[in-house]
Amino acid sequence: MSAPAGGVTGLRRFLAARPAEPVVERCDLCAAEIPEEHSHLVRPGERSLRCACRPCALLFSEERAGADGSFVAGYRTVPDRHRRDPDFTLTDAAWDTLQIPVSTAFFLVDSTRDGVLACYPSPAGATESELDLEHFDEGVGLSRLAAMLQPDVEALLVRRSRDGNAECFLVPIDACYRLVGLVRTTWKGFDGGAAAWAAIDGFFDDVRGRARDLGPRDPEPIS
């Protein structure tokens, strides 16, 4: 028996894909609704972000630190500054000593280990390795940005081009995690594919647009 035409039409209404309900972002601490662009918190020693509304972000900001430099409940608010060192150079030898097999990596100071971690994005997520401080200080650490770096919440993001030139940015740590997510979700096959590289290039275009170049009076490298 054939179904009435009207019945088929009605069935198609239920089979058709319905638009997804908009996702409501909420603060991980107080559950308040927050906009798509919002602050993040980190706990030193952990590699995860917690979304925060503005009041919670202010509560855990550096300005609210205790007299001993500690932070309420161990959280720290990720700042939103982006800086670029226009004078940054990095030799092939200095990069090779870091033993990073890709052209992009970020470096952060882990206050719980009192050391520098090198991380680089991969299709499986972020790969980490603890650096020899001497190797760091002889290469990436020579940038004036290294003297400005806040432990746990900021990173030095370095990208090397095929001709050996390199760019160095000081960025919030959540920007680095966003890059890791882009690589993990867009990478295809051995070389990544056009979509992945377009996403990565777009990410760095955004970082350049946000970053302010260091001026002559900004901090000198730590000797």
Side-chain angles (χ1 to χ4, degrees):
M1 180 183 295
S2 60
V8 173
T9 303
L11 183 60
R12 285 174 179 162
R13 287 192 298 110
F14 292 100
L15 293 177
R18 295 185 178 183
E21 292 290 332
V23 176
V24 177
E25 296 269 11
R26 294 194 178 276
C27 175
D28 286 331
L29 274 69
C30 70
E33 187 173 339
I34 54 178
E36 183 177 354
E37 291 283 335
H38 54 262
S39 300
H40 290 105
L41 305 174
V42 297
R43 192 193 296 271
E46 295 183 359
R47 298 290 173 266
S48 59
L49 298 174
R50 288 168 172 80
C51 300
C53 62
R54 180 167 176 77
C56 287
L58 291 174
L59 178 65
F60 299 113
S61 66
E62 187 171 5
E63 291 76 11
R64 297 295 298 274
D68 61 352
S70 61
F71 289 79
V72 183
Y75 288 116
R76 295 194 63 183
T77 299
V78 178
D80 189 33
R81 66 173 176 170
H82 293 68
R83 299 290 185 269
R84 175 179 172 269
D85 182 358
D87 301 321
F88 179 73
T89 58
L90 186 65
T91 66
D92 290 341
W95 185 255
D96 290 342
T97 60
L98 300 177
Q99 298 183 4
I100 296 173
V102 295
S103 61
T104 299
F106 56 96
F107 305 83
L108 65 148
V109 176
D110 186 332
S111 64
T112 66
R113 303 187 192 183
D114 194 26
V116 177
L117 286 179
C119 307
Y120 55 90
S122 75
T127 300
E128 298 181 2
S129 63
E130 193 163 357
L131 291 182
D132 183 316
L133 287 178
E134 181 180 355
H135 292 160
F136 176 75
D137 291 340
E138 292 175 351
V140 178
L142 289 175
S143 169
R144 289 181 293 159
L145 294 173
M148 304 167 60
L149 191 62
Q150 294 188 48
D152 305 310
V153 294
E154 293 182 319
L156 298 185
L157 176 63
V158 176
R159 189 187 196 192
R160 303 184 76 229
S161 61
R162 292 180 179 177
D163 59 9
N165 291 326
E167 291 182 287
C168 185
F169 303 91
L170 184 151
V171 297
I173 192 63
D174 51 8
C176 299
Y177 292 155
R178 181 160 58 92
L179 174 60
V180 170
L182 278 176
V183 172
R184 186 173 56 189
T185 57
T186 62
W187 197 271
K188 302 294 183 184
F190 179 77
D191 64 353
W197 287 108
I200 294 169
D201 289 341
F203 169 85
F204 277 96
D205 286 343
D206 179 66
V207 169
R208 291 187 197 96
R210 294 172 183 252
R212 178 174 67 82
D213 281 356
L214 289 182
R217 295 187 179 182
D218 285 302
E220 295 294 328
I222 298 175
S223 58

